[in-house]
Amino acid sequence: MTLKNITRWGAVSQAFHWTIVVLLLVVAVVGLTMGELPRTPKYFWVYTAHKSVGLTILALALLRLGWRLYAGAPPPVAGTPRLQAMIASVTHWALYALIFAMPLSGWLYDSASGLRPFRWFGLAEVPKLSPPNEGLADLANDAHETMFWVLVLLVAAHAGAALYHHIFQRDDTLRRMLPGWRARG
Ligand code: HEM
Ligand code: HEM
């Protein structure tokens, strides 16, 4: 059986999709709450966890994009109107762009803020993308926050569309992104 995405999303694409969904949820919840923490030593640990998981998403996004270019995508389920398929495709590429842009803007913010270097999960020192630069840090921070809310909106539309297909259209759009499903015929 091929791992390529011929009639369904293969196991590799599914694994990338759902792993990144879970990690995004973790990094978003931590990101939104870490500013409220008391300034104890644990505070730095939580920031480092946010940054480390965020950079892990960036690495997975790179691998995922490579796999996507190699393995392709199944055609839209039969009967999908052209315009709808186009909107889905644009949304998917915008989501790809954001899983790169979110961690990159966070990394740039961290770099330009002139903070002490942090270690990825305490293991390896992460290089800085730029020397300290207050203007750039502000810009990257604003981008990090704004793009996050764009991501939230797109994910809501995207997940809503998947559930709409599943519940109301009763087609295979969601099923073929889930483990265990086999194409008919
Ligand atoms: C997909 C990856 C990421 C997501 C979804 C994400 C999401 C978030 C969110 C929702 C916030 C809170 C925004 C606010 O209300 O101000 C935040 C803050 C922050 N993020 Fe990320 N982040 C990601 C990756 C990263 C990475 C890789 C770094 C650094 C290497 C980073 C550094 C920061 C910092 C320093 C803050 C605090 C900003 C402040 O205190 O104003 N993030 N992030
Ligand atoms: C949390 C963030 C999410 C991101 C960043 C994301 C991203 C993506 C991307 C980029 C694709 C296109 C795959 C490709 O071309 O390689 C995709 C497909 C898909 N996603 Fe998500 N997704 C997320 C959440 C969800 C959720 C919560 C659901 C379900 C409720 C879902 C259901 C699907 C389905 C069914 C497909 C396949 C669509 C098709 O076959 O045309 N996704 N997702």
Short mmCIF file of all heavy atoms in Angstrom, two decimals, residues 24 27-28 31-32 34-35 47 50-55 57 98-99 102-104 106-110 115 118 141 144-145 148-149 151, ligand 1:
data_model
loop_
_atom_site.label_atom_id
_atom_site.label_comp_id
_atom_site.label_asym_id
_atom_site.label_seq_id
_atom_site.Cartn_x
_atom_site.Cartn_y
_atom_site.Cartn_z
N LEU A 24 -0.21 22.75 18.26
CA LEU A 24 -0.69 24.13 18.15
C LEU A 24 -1.60 24.47 19.33
O LEU A 24 -1.53 25.58 19.89
CB LEU A 24 -1.48 24.33 16.85
CG LEU A 24 -0.68 24.67 15.60
CD1 LEU A 24 -1.59 24.70 14.38
CD2 LEU A 24 0.02 26.03 15.76
N VAL A 27 0.64 25.02 22.38
CA VAL A 27 1.43 26.26 22.32
C VAL A 27 0.51 27.49 22.44
O VAL A 27 0.87 28.50 23.04
CB VAL A 27 2.29 26.24 21.04
CG1 VAL A 27 1.65 26.93 19.90
CG2 VAL A 27 3.67 26.75 21.29
N ALA A 28 -0.73 27.36 21.92
CA ALA A 28 -1.67 28.49 22.00
C ALA A 28 -2.13 28.68 23.44
O ALA A 28 -2.14 29.82 23.94
CB ALA A 28 -2.87 28.23 21.09
N GLY A 31 0.77 30.04 25.35
CA GLY A 31 1.04 31.42 24.91
C GLY A 31 0.06 32.42 25.52
O GLY A 31 0.43 33.49 25.96
N LEU A 32 -1.22 32.03 25.55
CA LEU A 32 -2.24 32.95 26.02
C LEU A 32 -2.23 33.11 27.54
O LEU A 32 -2.75 34.10 28.05
CB LEU A 32 -3.63 32.48 25.57
CG LEU A 32 -3.91 32.59 24.06
CD1 LEU A 32 -5.21 31.91 23.69
CD2 LEU A 32 -3.92 34.06 23.63
N MET A 34 0.73 32.43 29.66
CA MET A 34 2.02 32.56 30.34
C MET A 34 2.31 34.00 30.82
O MET A 34 3.04 34.18 31.79
CB MET A 34 3.16 32.05 29.45
CG MET A 34 3.37 32.79 28.16
SD MET A 34 4.47 31.85 27.08
CE MET A 34 4.63 33.01 25.72
N GLY A 35 1.69 34.99 30.15
CA GLY A 35 1.92 36.38 30.56
C GLY A 35 1.37 36.67 31.95
O GLY A 35 1.80 37.63 32.61
N TYR A 47 7.98 29.87 29.49
CA TYR A 47 8.30 30.56 28.22
C TYR A 47 9.17 29.68 27.33
O TYR A 47 8.97 29.60 26.13
CB TYR A 47 9.02 31.89 28.52
CG TYR A 47 8.06 33.05 28.64
CD1 TYR A 47 7.24 33.18 29.75
CD2 TYR A 47 7.93 33.99 27.62
CE1 TYR A 47 6.34 34.23 29.86
CE2 TYR A 47 7.04 35.05 27.72
CZ TYR A 47 6.24 35.16 28.84
OH TYR A 47 5.34 36.19 28.93
N HIS A 50 7.04 27.10 25.72
CA HIS A 50 6.29 27.68 24.60
C HIS A 50 7.18 27.80 23.36
O HIS A 50 6.81 27.39 22.26
CB HIS A 50 5.76 29.06 25.01
CG HIS A 50 5.07 29.80 23.91
ND1 HIS A 50 3.73 29.61 23.62
CD2 HIS A 50 5.51 30.71 23.02
CE1 HIS A 50 3.40 30.39 22.59
NE2 HIS A 50 4.46 31.07 22.20
N LYS A 51 8.37 28.34 23.57
CA LYS A 51 9.28 28.55 22.43
C LYS A 51 9.75 27.21 21.85
O LYS A 51 9.86 27.06 20.63
CB LYS A 51 10.49 29.38 22.88
CG LYS A 51 10.11 30.79 23.34
CD LYS A 51 11.31 31.51 23.94
CE LYS A 51 10.91 32.82 24.60
NZ LYS A 51 12.07 33.47 25.25
N SER A 52 10.01 26.25 22.73
CA SER A 52 10.53 24.95 22.26
C SER A 52 9.46 24.20 21.46
O SER A 52 9.75 23.65 20.39
CB SER A 52 10.98 24.09 23.45
OG SER A 52 11.99 24.75 24.17
N VAL A 53 8.23 24.17 21.99
CA VAL A 53 7.17 23.49 21.24
C VAL A 53 6.92 24.24 19.93
O VAL A 53 6.73 23.63 18.87
CB VAL A 53 5.87 23.37 22.08
CG1 VAL A 53 4.78 22.65 21.28
CG2 VAL A 53 6.12 22.62 23.37
N GLY A 54 6.97 25.57 19.98
CA GLY A 54 6.77 26.38 18.77
C GLY A 54 7.80 26.05 17.70
O GLY A 54 7.48 25.88 16.53
N LEU A 55 9.07 25.92 18.11
CA LEU A 55 10.12 25.59 17.13
C LEU A 55 9.96 24.16 16.62
O LEU A 55 10.32 23.87 15.47
CB LEU A 55 11.51 25.80 17.74
CG LEU A 55 11.93 27.26 17.94
CD1 LEU A 55 13.36 27.31 18.48
CD2 LEU A 55 11.85 28.05 16.64
N ILE A 57 7.10 22.82 16.08
CA ILE A 57 6.08 22.96 15.03
C ILE A 57 6.73 23.44 13.73
O ILE A 57 6.41 22.94 12.65
CB ILE A 57 4.96 23.94 15.48
CG1 ILE A 57 4.18 23.33 16.65
CG2 ILE A 57 4.02 24.29 14.32
CD1 ILE A 57 3.13 24.23 17.27
N LEU A 98 0.81 29.97 7.79
CA LEU A 98 0.78 30.39 9.20
C LEU A 98 1.55 29.45 10.13
O LEU A 98 2.09 29.91 11.14
CB LEU A 98 -0.67 30.54 9.67
CG LEU A 98 -1.34 31.82 9.13
CD1 LEU A 98 -2.84 31.79 9.40
CD2 LEU A 98 -0.72 33.06 9.75
N ILE A 99 1.61 28.16 9.79
CA ILE A 99 2.39 27.29 10.69
C ILE A 99 3.90 27.52 10.50
O ILE A 99 4.70 27.04 11.28
CB ILE A 99 2.01 25.78 10.59
CG1 ILE A 99 2.15 25.23 9.18
CG2 ILE A 99 0.61 25.55 11.15
CD1 ILE A 99 1.88 23.73 9.09
N MET A 102 3.99 31.76 12.23
CA MET A 102 3.83 31.90 13.68
C MET A 102 5.14 31.64 14.42
O MET A 102 5.61 32.50 15.17
CB MET A 102 2.73 30.95 14.20
CG MET A 102 1.31 31.45 14.08
SD MET A 102 1.02 33.06 14.77
CE MET A 102 1.50 32.86 16.47
N PRO A 103 5.75 30.46 14.25
CA PRO A 103 7.00 30.24 14.97
C PRO A 103 8.12 31.19 14.53
O PRO A 103 8.91 31.64 15.36
CB PRO A 103 7.36 28.79 14.67
CG PRO A 103 6.43 28.31 13.62
CD PRO A 103 5.28 29.24 13.56
N LEU A 104 8.16 31.55 13.23
CA LEU A 104 9.24 32.44 12.79
C LEU A 104 9.12 33.82 13.42
O LEU A 104 10.11 34.41 13.84
CB LEU A 104 9.23 32.55 11.25
CG LEU A 104 9.86 31.36 10.51
CD1 LEU A 104 9.66 31.49 9.00
CD2 LEU A 104 11.36 31.25 10.84
N GLY A 106 7.67 34.49 16.29
CA GLY A 106 8.01 34.33 17.71
C GLY A 106 9.53 34.28 17.90
O GLY A 106 10.08 34.94 18.79
N TRP A 107 10.17 33.56 17.02
CA TRP A 107 11.64 33.41 17.09
C TRP A 107 12.32 34.76 16.84
O TRP A 107 13.27 35.15 17.52
CB TRP A 107 12.06 32.36 16.07
CG TRP A 107 13.47 31.89 16.13
CD1 TRP A 107 14.44 32.28 17.03
CD2 TRP A 107 14.10 30.93 15.27
NE1 TRP A 107 15.62 31.62 16.78
CE2 TRP A 107 15.44 30.78 15.71
CE3 TRP A 107 13.66 30.19 14.18
CZ2 TRP A 107 16.33 29.92 15.07
CZ3 TRP A 107 14.56 29.32 13.55
CH2 TRP A 107 15.87 29.19 14.00
N LEU A 108 11.78 35.49 15.85
CA LEU A 108 12.35 36.81 15.54
C LEU A 108 12.14 37.76 16.72
O LEU A 108 13.04 38.54 17.08
CB LEU A 108 11.65 37.37 14.28
CG LEU A 108 12.31 38.59 13.65
CD1 LEU A 108 13.75 38.27 13.25
CD2 LEU A 108 11.52 39.03 12.40
N TYR A 109 10.97 37.69 17.33
CA TYR A 109 10.69 38.54 18.50
C TYR A 109 11.68 38.22 19.61
O TYR A 109 12.29 39.12 20.19
CB TYR A 109 9.24 38.32 18.96
CG TYR A 109 8.93 38.97 20.28
CD1 TYR A 109 9.20 40.32 20.50
CD2 TYR A 109 8.36 38.25 21.34
CE1 TYR A 109 8.93 40.92 21.71
CE2 TYR A 109 8.08 38.84 22.55
CZ TYR A 109 8.39 40.18 22.74
OH TYR A 109 8.11 40.77 23.93
N ASP A 110 11.83 36.93 19.89
CA ASP A 110 12.76 36.50 20.93
C ASP A 110 14.17 37.01 20.61
O ASP A 110 14.88 37.53 21.47
CB ASP A 110 12.75 34.97 21.02
CG ASP A 110 13.81 34.43 21.96
OD1 ASP A 110 13.55 34.41 23.17
OD2 ASP A 110 14.92 34.09 21.48
N LEU A 115 17.03 39.07 24.50
CA LEU A 115 16.98 38.20 25.68
C LEU A 115 18.17 37.24 25.65
O LEU A 115 18.76 37.01 24.60
CB LEU A 115 15.69 37.36 25.66
CG LEU A 115 14.38 38.13 25.73
CD1 LEU A 115 13.21 37.20 25.40
CD2 LEU A 115 14.22 38.74 27.10
N PHE A 118 17.93 30.95 24.71
CA PHE A 118 17.30 29.85 25.44
C PHE A 118 17.70 28.54 24.79
O PHE A 118 18.22 28.51 23.68
CB PHE A 118 15.77 30.02 25.46
CG PHE A 118 15.10 29.77 24.14
CD1 PHE A 118 14.53 28.54 23.85
CD2 PHE A 118 15.03 30.76 23.16
CE1 PHE A 118 13.91 28.30 22.63
CE2 PHE A 118 14.41 30.53 21.94
CZ PHE A 118 13.85 29.29 21.68
N ASN A 141 6.54 41.07 17.46
CA ASN A 141 5.58 40.75 18.53
C ASN A 141 4.15 41.02 18.04
O ASN A 141 3.25 40.20 18.23
CB ASN A 141 5.91 41.61 19.76
CG ASN A 141 5.12 41.17 20.99
OD1 ASN A 141 4.50 40.11 20.99
ND2 ASN A 141 5.14 41.98 22.02
N HIS A 144 3.21 38.38 15.60
CA HIS A 144 2.97 37.12 16.30
C HIS A 144 1.54 37.08 16.85
O HIS A 144 0.84 36.08 16.71
CB HIS A 144 4.00 37.00 17.43
CG HIS A 144 4.19 35.61 17.97
ND1 HIS A 144 4.59 34.56 17.19
CD2 HIS A 144 4.02 35.09 19.22
CE1 HIS A 144 4.69 33.47 17.94
NE2 HIS A 144 4.33 33.76 19.18
N GLU A 145 1.12 38.19 17.44
CA GLU A 145 -0.21 38.22 18.07
C GLU A 145 -1.31 38.30 17.00
O GLU A 145 -2.29 37.54 17.04
CB GLU A 145 -0.31 39.42 19.02
CG GLU A 145 -1.53 39.32 19.88
CD GLU A 145 -1.61 40.42 20.94
OE1 GLU A 145 -0.60 41.13 21.15
OE2 GLU A 145 -2.69 40.54 21.56
N PHE A 148 -1.76 35.15 15.05
CA PHE A 148 -2.39 34.10 15.85
C PHE A 148 -3.91 34.17 15.71
O PHE A 148 -4.58 33.14 15.53
CB PHE A 148 -1.98 34.22 17.33
CG PHE A 148 -2.73 33.24 18.19
CD1 PHE A 148 -2.44 31.88 18.12
CD2 PHE A 148 -3.75 33.66 19.03
CE1 PHE A 148 -3.14 30.96 18.89
CE2 PHE A 148 -4.45 32.74 19.80
CZ PHE A 148 -4.16 31.39 19.73
N TRP A 149 -4.47 35.38 15.76
CA TRP A 149 -5.94 35.50 15.67
C TRP A 149 -6.43 35.19 14.27
O TRP A 149 -7.53 34.66 14.09
CB TRP A 149 -6.40 36.86 16.19
CG TRP A 149 -6.11 36.95 17.68
CD1 TRP A 149 -5.19 37.74 18.30
CD2 TRP A 149 -6.70 36.14 18.72
NE1 TRP A 149 -5.17 37.48 19.66
CE2 TRP A 149 -6.08 36.51 19.94
CE3 TRP A 149 -7.66 35.13 18.75
CZ2 TRP A 149 -6.41 35.91 21.17
CZ3 TRP A 149 -8.00 34.54 19.96
CH2 TRP A 149 -7.38 34.93 21.14
N LEU A 151 -5.00 32.92 12.46
CA LEU A 151 -4.95 31.45 12.48
C LEU A 151 -6.20 30.88 13.16
O LEU A 151 -6.82 29.94 12.66
CB LEU A 151 -3.67 31.00 13.22
CG LEU A 151 -3.49 29.49 13.43
CD1 LEU A 151 -3.33 28.76 12.09
CD2 LEU A 151 -2.28 29.18 14.31
C1 HEM B 1 3.11 27.81 16.03
C2 HEM B 1 3.82 28.38 16.94
C3 HEM B 1 3.38 29.42 17.92
C4 HEM B 1 2.13 29.84 18.29
C5 HEM B 1 0.76 29.35 17.78
C6 HEM B 1 2.30 30.89 19.28
C7 HEM B 1 1.27 31.56 19.90
C8 HEM B 1 1.44 32.57 20.84
C9 HEM B 1 0.37 33.27 21.49
C10 HEM B 1 -1.11 33.02 21.29
C11 HEM B 1 0.94 34.20 22.31
C12 HEM B 1 0.22 35.23 23.19
C13 HEM B 1 0.05 36.48 22.37
C14 HEM B 1 -0.41 37.63 23.18
O1 HEM B 1 -1.56 37.61 23.61
O2 HEM B 1 0.39 38.56 23.36
C15 HEM B 1 2.37 34.09 22.20
C16 HEM B 1 3.29 34.86 22.87
C17 HEM B 1 4.65 34.70 22.76
N1 HEM B 1 5.33 33.84 21.94
FE1 HEM B 1 4.49 32.45 20.74
N2 HEM B 1 3.65 31.08 19.49
C18 HEM B 1 4.34 30.20 18.69
C19 HEM B 1 5.70 30.06 18.59
C20 HEM B 1 6.64 30.82 19.27
C21 HEM B 1 8.07 30.68 19.15
C22 HEM B 1 8.79 29.66 18.27
C23 HEM B 1 8.63 31.63 19.97
C24 HEM B 1 10.08 31.95 20.23
C25 HEM B 1 11.12 31.25 19.84
C26 HEM B 1 7.53 32.35 20.62
C27 HEM B 1 7.69 33.37 21.51
C28 HEM B 1 6.68 34.03 22.14
C29 HEM B 1 6.89 35.05 23.15
C30 HEM B 1 8.24 35.55 23.67
C31 HEM B 1 5.61 35.48 23.53
C32 HEM B 1 5.28 36.55 24.58
C33 HEM B 1 4.92 37.82 23.91
C34 HEM B 1 4.68 38.92 24.93
O3 HEM B 1 4.96 38.71 26.09
O4 HEM B 1 4.21 39.97 24.51
N3 HEM B 1 6.34 31.82 20.16
N4 HEM B 1 2.65 33.08 21.28
#
